[in-house]
Amino acid sequence: MRKNIVAGNWKMNCDLPTSQKLIWELKKALKPDYNCELMIAPSFPCIYPAFNSTLDTPIEVVAQNCSEQEKGAFTGEVSIDMLQSVGVKTVIIGHSERRDIYKEDDALLAAKTVAAINKGMRVIFCCGEHLEIRKAGDHFSTVGNQIEKALFNLTPAQMEQVVIAYEPVWAIGTGETASPAQAQEMHAHIRTMLKDHFGDMTAHHTSILYGGSVKPANAAELFANPDVDGGLVGGASLDAQSFLAIADAF
Ligand code: PEP
């Protein structure tokens, strides 16, 4: 079912004390109700403490990444079973930093996505174009390809476990945000792709988040678009007041 979601991607920013302090600040400032699901994605070592510290809150603790492998000799990797054993039910896959810095390609992201879904996880699948692609006018086909390659092998039932996050790479951590019209245009394009491939139900039920310098000042105008169902938030999620102000923009 399509839901509004505001997810904070803490990236490699908070050690355990910082992570626990941020959770404490979030808990202190939480209102009784939000018109969206709230998620935070701490680093792997902080996930279990974060899970325990948020049990009495509506905040879901999610993972920033996972391995496509089941188990075994994969030094440095974290399996889906391991994440589930510490309470994680949702994983971010395909963030542009994973694609660009760690060279995760479409085939690997497709493998991670299907592995996570088959274990019953929800996946926040990230896609988005670089600036030169947008300047060349190829953003729709680039994002379309990313989605097609990772998600079009899934069934409509499996797609119920997928949330898409459109994150134009030129807007991530740059302070430059896609305009509400640019975000809506791409989200509508993605929804049309889902409709053409999976049918009306999937298109209607899939949450599509926007990510890229979402701040309290621009969240409301982004979320007001009919096809923008929330945000994947980096920098602004490291401040409890900013993150909750973004959640409050619904
Ligand atoms: C992100 O990393 O997913 C992101 C959107 O970062 P920021 O909000 O800092 O642009």
Side-chain angles (χ1 to χ4, degrees):
M1 186 50 116
R2 184 158 158 192
K3 291 179 172 134
N4 295 331
I5 298 169
V6 171
N9 176 13
W10 292 0
K11 310 193 186 189
M12 201 173 73
N13 282 307
C14 297
D15 61 10
L16 186 58
T18 318
S19 166
Q20 290 300 99
K21 180 167 176 274
L22 185 44
I23 289 169
W24 183 79
E25 286 166 356
L26 285 168
K27 286 172 77 166
K28 210 168 57 157
L30 267 181
K31 292 194 327 182
D33 254 330
Y34 289 88
N35 285 325
C36 60
E37 286 187 19
L38 293 171
M39 297 179 185
I40 54 171
S43 61
F44 287 135
C46 300
I47 283 185
Y48 191 50
F51 176 76
N52 282 326
S53 301
T54 51
L55 279 175
D56 54 343
T57 77
I59 299 172
E60 182 186 344
V61 176
V62 312
Q64 298 176 18
N65 186 25
C66 67
S67 174
E68 80 288 6
Q69 301 290 343
E70 172 89 24
K71 67 184 293 192
F74 301 100
T75 302
E77 291 293 290
V78 174
S79 74
I80 296 155
D81 285 349
M82 290 169 183
L83 292 174
Q84 290 182 317
S85 75
V86 292
V88 173
K89 296 190 169 73
T90 302
V91 58
I92 299 170
I93 289 176
H95 191 280
S96 66
E97 287 148 20
R98 301 298 317 170
R99 292 176 187 265
D100 291 348
I101 305 169
Y102 299 101
K103 308 296 172 212
E104 296 194 357
D105 61 14
D106 293 320
L108 178 62
L109 299 176
K112 288 187 179 204
T113 300
V114 79
I117 287 173
N118 286 341
K119 294 269 185 186
M121 294 276 267
R122 179 158 62 161
V123 168
I124 300 179
F125 177 79
C126 302
C127 55
E129 81 285 357
H130 285 90
L131 186 57
E132 45 305 351
I133 299 282
R134 178 159 281 264
K135 282 187 174 155
D138 293 333
H139 42 296
F140 291 118
S141 59
T142 296
V143 170
N145 267 328
Q146 291 170 339
I147 289 177
E148 200 175 314
K149 291 200 172 121
L151 303 181
F152 276 17
N153 59 333
L154 301 175
T155 64
Q158 289 175 314
M159 273 301 290
E160 287 173 22
Q161 288 162 244
V162 176
V163 169
I164 295 175
Y166 167 58
E167 300 205 297
V169 183
W170 46 271
I172 296 179
T174 59
E176 190 173 339
T177 317
S179 68
Q182 284 173 320
Q184 168 56 26
E185 188 183 38
M186 182 60 84
H187 286 224
H189 173 71
I190 293 170
R191 212 176 291 287
T192 301
M193 282 186 66
L194 297 179
K195 178 173 185 292
D196 292 346
H197 185 78
F198 294 105
D200 280 332
M201 285 281 275
T202 302
H204 185 68
H205 287 319
T206 304
S207 299
I208 307 177
L209 315 184
Y210 167 79
S213 298
V214 178
K215 309 278 179 230
N218 58 26
E221 54 178 6
L222 286 162
F223 298 168
N225 287 290
D227 289 299
V228 179
D229 306 309
L232 182 54
V233 185
S237 71
L238 297 173
D239 178 84
Q241 299 295 340
S242 298
F243 182 64
L244 294 177
I246 291 169
D248 227 3
F250 272 110

